[in-house]
Amino acid sequence: MRVLLIEDDPDTAQYVINGLEEEGHTIDHSADGREGMTQAMGETYDVLIVDRMLPGLEGLAIVKTMRSAGCKVPIIFLTALGGVDDRVDGLDAGGDDYLVKPFAFSELLARINALSRRPHLKGEETRLKVGDLALDLITRKVYRGTAEIELQPREFRLLEVLMRNKGRVVTRTMLLERVWSFHFDPKTSVVETHISRLRSKIDKPFATELIHTVRGSGYSLHEGP
């Protein structure tokens, strides 16, 4: 699954990120409430995990705003505010579940899995397609024509970002933020290395290349030259 964590405590955030990535999920993280809400509204996620006390915008306000805008993505509050009234406020605001800190990761994971089994309340896009390349967000499988392509979780996320932006240039900075959650340039070749690996699986065995380098700008996934 693709999960957005809006949490300002670095230790809690890293604990959750490490645990979910070990389970094979893709995690985006924001430490600021307003930035997190913008990210949640602009991207597609399977589950949101939201703290109550956040800089920028408080968790209840995030959820109320998203629900009023028609967003139906499942949301779990993860917070130190554990009183009965706090729980009621969180659920009334539009939260689907409420977990109080300190918490066991196994319980958080079970609650996420339970939410993921609920039927989608609206017809969100679950399959991306560019030419004969298809990516299924539910089964996490990728096909080029009838050939199934095995990808590592980070490669899958990289391809997902490129396919969601088909025909548009995706910069190195955008990829660092959306695939690796780096909000700075670590001055490594991690993007270039993973693009090369992805090309070896997506393009090289086939007649038509789909991943194109846009010199001085970034990368674009599309049919044709």
Side-chain angles (χ1 to χ4, degrees):
M1 289 182 291
R2 187 178 179 205
V3 180
L4 175 62
L5 171 66
I6 308 177
E7 168 64 65
D8 64 325
D9 179 70
D11 291 335
T12 300
Q14 199 58 57
Y15 175 60
V16 173
I17 290 169
N18 289 345
L20 290 178
E21 285 185 342
E22 287 176 0
E23 293 293 324
H25 301 303
T26 300
I27 317 300
D28 290 342
H29 171 237
S30 177
D32 179 88
R34 194 169 300 279
E35 291 178 0
M37 185 179 71
T38 299
Q39 191 168 352
M41 298 289 281
E43 301 275 352
T44 300
Y45 292 98
D46 299 298
V47 176
L48 305 185
I49 303 172
V50 182
D51 191 7
R52 284 280 304 269
M53 298 177 289
L54 291 163
L57 190 65
E58 200 266 349
L60 283 182
I62 293 173
V63 175
K64 287 179 180 179
T65 301
M66 294 185 65
R67 294 307 191 216
S68 66
C71 179
K72 294 181 172 59
V73 61
I75 298 174
I76 299 176
F77 279 108
L78 182 62
T79 174
L81 300 176
V84 173
D85 289 343
D86 296 317
R87 295 171 185 265
V88 170
D89 287 344
L91 297 173
D92 283 348
D96 296 278
D97 204 344
Y98 199 103
L99 184 59
V100 178
K101 302 174 183 176
F103 63 97
F105 177 77
S106 58
E107 183 178 3
L108 174 62
L109 182 62
R111 290 173 184 241
I112 291 172
N113 290 335
L115 287 179
S116 73
R117 291 192 292 270
R118 293 184 183 179
H120 288 280
L121 298 179
K122 63 176 182 177
E124 296 181 351
E125 189 176 30
T126 61
R127 187 175 175 88
L128 306 178
K129 200 168 189 307
V130 179
D132 62 349
L133 177 65
L135 180 150
D136 193 308
L137 296 165
I138 302 300
T139 64
R140 312 297 285 181
K141 291 184 177 181
V142 175
Y143 292 90
R144 186 94 193 250
T146 58
E148 184 175 352
I149 299 170
E150 295 290 336
L151 297 181
Q152 296 298 315
R154 195 76 70 178
E155 295 168 346
F156 185 95
R157 175 68 180 131
L158 177 58
L159 181 61
E160 179 187 346
V161 172
L162 291 172
M163 293 185 74
R164 287 187 184 279
N165 292 276
K166 61 183 178 182
R168 296 193 291 266
V169 176
V170 184
T171 67
R172 185 175 184 276
T173 298
M174 290 169 62
L175 292 174
L176 285 169
E177 290 181 351
R178 298 182 186 184
V179 180
W180 286 271
S181 299
F182 289 157
H183 298 288
F184 63 96
D185 189 343
K187 303 299 181 185
T188 72
S189 59
V190 64
V191 173
E192 292 77 9
T193 298
H194 278 74
I195 287 287
S196 177
R197 291 176 183 170
L198 194 58
R199 276 179 166 148
S200 70
K201 298 179 179 182
I202 297 298
D203 281 343
K204 287 184 179 179
F206 304 94
T208 305
E209 291 187 357
L210 295 176
I211 302 174
H212 304 269
T213 300
V214 182
R215 294 193 180 279
S217 299
Y219 303 94
S220 178
L221 192 148
H222 58 267
E223 294 182 275

